Amino acid sequence: MTDARTSALLAVLAKGVRTIELGQPLFTGMPCSPNHPGFRMALARRHGDLRRPDGGSASSEVIVTGGHVGTHIDALSHVSQDGRLHGGVDAEKAQRGGAFTELGAEQIPPLVTRAVLLDVAAVLGVDVLEPGYGVTREDLLEAAEHAGALPRPGDVALVRTGWAAHFARPQTYLGHATGVPGVTEDAAEWLAAQGIVATGADTTAYERIPPGEGHRTLPVHRLLLVEHGIYLMEHLNLEEIAASGLTEFPLVVSPLRIVGGTGSPIRPIAVVGA
């Protein structure tokens, strides 16, 4: 963060703050991309299985999940093009031994920066974009005008489609047959040109998924991760922040330091005035 951004954040904190969750809860049976193993949690020990001499008891769980399940961030090792990761790194060499020696999830920096909400659903006058709708460069420009704020270098751009409203209905949310709205290549190029460090959306794959296509091709992943080194966040929930009327705010995102991983669960938090 620059000195100016640090000062602005400290000024906000001094006045008192509240937080708004921008992620989805984790639970067994939640929607998950077909490319990844789903989330599972079970109690490994229940109260009463073992009782301490003083009468105390503890319960604990086992969690099994992929790195790209639920609200998460993609590391730059996640996608390759023609055998190369971002910066020309040889993907096959980097992944030997079962973990990436370059561009792993442990190298994703904690993000404490300005976020801009680009509410495309709002500017198009709908609660939720149509299945398979492609968010264009013009849509993002209109959303930025609506927000009264353009993304700047080092910012995070959050794209709201309204699709989080379907999260409790996995078949609808994943949209294999109907498609899922999302960012198109020309819109992604515009975002990259703004110098952002990361971007995210309230869908399973960030980018547009055409009806019946599933995740067969993901050109925006290639463009942002491989070509520009911009981190991607997926499965966000932007409904509360949109309802608040806020369009720019400090954002805190802390990925897990999974050595050699291709992604990490996150809990993104908007920090706003009390």
Side-chain angles (χ1 to χ4, degrees), residues 106-254:
E106 80 281 7
Q107 296 182 25
I108 306 172
L111 302 175
V112 183
T113 191
R114 172 181 179 257
V116 175
L117 178 65
L118 301 175
D119 194 341
V120 177
V123 298
L124 293 181
V126 297
D127 293 328
V128 183
L129 294 183
E130 290 294 319
Y133 179 83
V135 174
T136 66
R137 177 180 182 272
E138 289 71 26
D139 290 333
L140 294 185
L141 282 166
E142 188 175 351
E145 182 178 353
H146 173 78
L150 279 169
R152 300 190 301 245
D155 284 350
V156 173
L158 303 177
V159 181
R160 178 179 174 267
T161 69
W163 204 249
H166 298 312
F167 192 75
R169 299 180 294 279
Q171 185 173 356
T172 302
Y173 181 78
L174 295 176
H176 180 76
T178 60
V180 179
V183 170
T184 58
E185 289 179 77
D186 75 314
E189 287 282 14
W190 179 81
L191 286 171
Q194 309 314 304
I196 59 172
V197 67
T199 181
D202 49 2
T203 62
T204 183
Y206 181 82
E207 59 188 280
R208 174 181 182 259
I209 304 298
E213 289 290 308
H215 296 180
R216 189 169 64 88
T217 61
L218 297 173
V220 170
H221 277 63
R222 166 192 50 78
L223 194 155
L224 292 177
L225 290 170
V226 181
E227 296 182 14
H228 293 285
I230 294 171
Y231 299 105
L232 281 177
M233 295 182 288
E234 295 161 329
H235 295 291
L236 296 174
N237 186 347
L238 303 174
E239 297 307 288
E240 184 178 353
I241 196 71
S244 76
L246 293 166
T247 56
E248 53 180 327
F249 42 86
L251 174 71
V252 178
V253 179
S254 184

Side-chain angles (χ1 to χ4, degrees), residues 7-91:
S7 297
L9 180 57
L10 290 174
V12 170
L13 294 174
K15 294 178 182 178
V17 300
R18 62 188 176 93
T19 59
I20 297 178
E21 297 277 355
L22 303 183
Q24 297 284 7
L26 294 163
F27 57 90
T28 301
M30 63 189 287
C32 171
S33 164
N35 291 343
H36 304 291
F39 178 89
R40 298 289 184 273
M41 192 208 84
L43 293 178
R45 176 178 290 177
R46 298 173 183 272
H47 290 292
D49 289 348
L50 180 65
R51 192 178 298 275
R52 298 189 177 100
D54 63 358
S57 181
S59 183
S60 58
E61 64 280 306
V62 172
I63 296 172
V64 178
T65 186
H68 300 267
V69 178
T71 306
H72 68 275
I73 190 168
D74 292 348
L76 299 184
S77 58
H78 180 45
V79 171
S80 67
Q81 182 66 33
D82 300 322
R84 299 287 172 176
L85 303 172
H86 176 65
V89 172
D90 186 306

